Amino acid sequence: MRTADALRALVEDYLGELALTPELHGQTGSVRYALVGGKRVRGVICLATAEAAGAEAEQALPAAAALELVHAFSLVHDDLPALDNDAERRGRPSAWARFGEAVAVLAGDALLAEAFRLALSYPFPEAGRELAQATLGMIGGQYLDITNTAPDEGTLHKLKTGCLFAASVGLALWAAEVPEREQRPWRAFGDELGLLFQIVDDILDGDGYVATHGEEGARRLADEAASRARGRLADVPADTSVLEDIVDGLATRTS
Amino acid sequence: MRTADALRALVEDYLGELALTPELHGQTGSVRYALVGGKRVRGVICLATAEAAGAEAEQALPAAAALELVHAFSLVHDDLPALDNDAERRGRPSAWARFGEAVAVLAGDALLAEAFRLALSYPFPEAGRELAQATLGMIGGQYLDITNTAPDEGTLHKLKTGCLFAASVGLALWAAEVPEREQRPWRAFGDELGLLFQIVDDILDGDGYVATHGEEGARRLADEAASRARGRLADVPADTSVLEDIVDGLATRTS
């Protein structure tokens, strides 16, 4: 089993060499630009889950890349002036600031469609189905956020962040061909990851959960989420040591 | 076999009653708004092809709806101020003019993801794969259009319009479970439809092909495209009378 860092390098290389659809013509420039940088957390969780489930990480690479493309799609559209109006992303101009709004809208669209192309490279439709559901949940979360209509913090983050983290485990299970009846303990683990990621994100940014629960309160919630995730992993009948390392990394990360 | 009008009613009813993903929350309002109106040309071609291929039209309804959702997605994003800046669509405010730009961006995203959900409701991945390819071609065409970088008129329209028309036939073949080795004559027909639609569109709007070939020249090109489409249909080993009616309708439409 490879370490999280080795799996991250695998995702990075795959994305760097990803053959985009030639019919996109010059649009590929902004798509590649939007794919540079990022921690690849979702892709790494996907590969680590696939390896823990007994598959080669390589078998889950299209799924891992699809998750990273959906994540990149959401950032490109969220950064638009009409949404979060962020001119910077990962220390560089955001896609719209670099290529203009029109090309950035299309770049997000292309990332999403390419993500489905990747998820559909498997000989079965389940990975694509799960990606569609997760994407729709994420869009719903973004709607609740920008319109300030979320019923509560938990619902908001479960949709905005949790769906795609859960799908990072889910797509790996399909890619590793884990039968549906054996997926439940894995999925229970996947359901805990988004919240852990989100709370730590808010601690690092000093907003969100820190604003509502204070820094100490947020730290406590993060520790509880990490502890639940480890507990769920203990129920998974496999060597989940790399996934445990990933949970530790998510809980203690400083960037 | 049902007439084109009967098939159109079928598409319309299906879209009207379409269950959207509940996790979209309030975002469903703008998605439904963007789905009102339109001629349903792509959906009708899809159902008529499925019936000609020996299936029940109902079997192709998710595919037909997926095509209409991708078309609606493209209109919602193309209408945005940063792209075509159209405040009106089908005699009503366009999505951004009605809901604001932010919600319109998300509405387009949701339409695209719902389209994949529909195309993936089949027990095989091929319909979804073809939808992804067609969508990517369409996005590439839109990029060439807004950046004025198309190598020629033919390439532009083949991508912007042709891909989704060709996929209207293609998705029907998968939905009707026509084996791949028997798909070629059907696909040759599908490849002619986008151009026919586009030229007539330009004749009605007095731009595009009319600007480059004059009205008479454009009319002649449209007649040639219709004639090629009929010729391709003649090579299809099935009762294609409804598809012939659709070609006649595309060639002679006045709106």
Side-chain angles (χ1 to χ4, degrees), chain A residues 1-205:
Chain A
M1 297 230 295
R2 279 165 279 191
T3 64
D5 280 341
L7 297 175
R8 182 170 296 110
L10 213 54
V11 174
E12 201 60 61
D13 289 351
Y14 187 83
L15 289 174
E17 289 164 19
L18 186 63
L20 297 172
T21 300
E23 285 80 5
L24 283 173
H25 290 269
Q27 182 70 48
T28 53
S30 58
V31 169
R32 289 211 185 280
Y33 182 88
L35 278 174
V36 172
K39 295 179 287 291
R40 315 302 188 197
V41 185
R42 297 158 190 78
V44 170
I45 290 170
C46 179
L47 296 190
T49 302
E51 286 218 328
E56 288 293 320
E58 282 74 8
Q59 199 174 323
L61 268 173
L67 292 156
E68 290 297 329
L69 264 68
V70 168
H71 178 54
F73 136 77
S74 76
L75 298 180
V76 168
H77 279 186
D78 290 359
D79 283 344
L80 287 168
L83 287 104
D84 296 348
N85 195 24
D86 273 326
E88 212 184 278
R89 164 73 57 190
R90 298 167 178 167
R92 300 187 310 162
S94 58
W96 70 265
R98 172 70 180 76
F99 296 95
E101 280 185 60
V103 171
V105 169
L106 297 179
D109 297 344
L111 283 160
L112 184 54
E114 286 279 10
F116 281 107
R117 185 181 63 76
L118 285 162
L120 287 164
S121 63
Y122 294 97
F124 42 78
E126 283 84 353
R129 276 182 205 157
E130 182 150 359
L131 193 69
Q133 291 293 351
T135 303
L136 285 159
M138 202 178 63
I139 295 168
Q142 181 64 359
Y143 172 85
L144 293 179
D145 199 12
I146 63 167
T147 56
N148 259 312
T149 52
D152 55 77
E153 202 175 28
T155 304
L156 179 67
H157 294 304
K158 200 175 150 95
L159 291 173
K160 256 196 93 162
T161 318
C163 284
L164 203 57
F165 271 91
S168 303
V169 171
L171 261 73
L173 299 175
W174 297 120
E177 299 182 37
V178 175
E180 197 163 0
R181 65 181 180 282
E182 296 171 17
Q183 294 185 358
R184 192 189 294 192
W186 298 92
R187 290 186 177 276
F189 163 66
D191 288 342
E192 301 291 349
L193 293 174
L195 183 64
L196 170 59
F197 181 85
Q198 185 62 52
I199 300 172
V200 176
D201 227 45
D202 290 350
I203 292 171
L204 295 172
D205 294 342

Side-chain angles (χ1 to χ4, degrees), chain B residues 196-220:
Chain B
L196 169 59
F197 181 86
Q198 186 62 53
I199 301 172
V200 176
D201 227 46
D202 289 353
I203 291 172
L204 295 173
D205 293 342
D207 59 10
Y209 277 90
V210 173
T212 47
H213 299 268
E215 188 161 343
E216 262 184 60
R219 188 70 257 171
R220 195 167 51 242

Side-chain angles (χ1 to χ4, degrees), chain B residues 70-223:
Chain B
V70 168
H71 178 52
F73 135 77
S74 75
L75 298 180
V76 167
H77 280 187
D78 290 0
D79 284 344
L80 286 168
L83 287 102
D84 296 349
N85 193 23
D86 273 325
E88 212 183 280
R89 166 70 57 189
R90 297 168 178 167
R92 301 187 308 163
S94 58
W96 70 265
R98 171 73 180 76
F99 296 96
E101 280 185 60
V103 171
V105 169
L106 297 179
D109 297 344
L111 283 160
L112 183 54
E114 286 279 9
F116 281 107
R117 186 181 61 77
L118 285 163
L120 287 164
S121 62
Y122 294 96
F124 42 79
E126 284 85 352
R129 276 182 203 157
E130 182 151 357
L131 193 68
Q133 291 293 350
T135 302
L136 285 159
M138 202 176 65
I139 294 167
Q142 181 65 359
Y143 173 85
L144 293 179
D145 199 12
I146 63 168
T147 56
N148 259 312
T149 51
D152 55 75
E153 202 176 28
T155 304
L156 179 68
H157 293 305
K158 203 175 147 93
L159 291 173
K160 255 195 93 164
T161 319
C163 284
L164 203 56
F165 271 91
S168 303
V169 171
L171 262 73
L173 298 175
W174 297 120
E177 297 180 40
V178 175
E180 197 163 2
R181 65 182 179 281
E182 296 170 19
Q183 293 185 359
R184 194 191 291 192
W186 297 92
R187 290 186 177 277
F189 163 68
D191 287 342
E192 301 291 349
L193 293 174
L195 184 63
L196 169 59
F197 181 86
Q198 186 62 53
I199 301 172
V200 176
D201 227 46
D202 289 353
I203 291 172
L204 295 173
D205 293 342
D207 59 10
Y209 277 90
V210 173
T212 47
H213 299 268
E215 188 161 343
E216 262 184 60
R219 188 70 257 171
R220 195 167 51 242
L221 287 171
D223 290 343

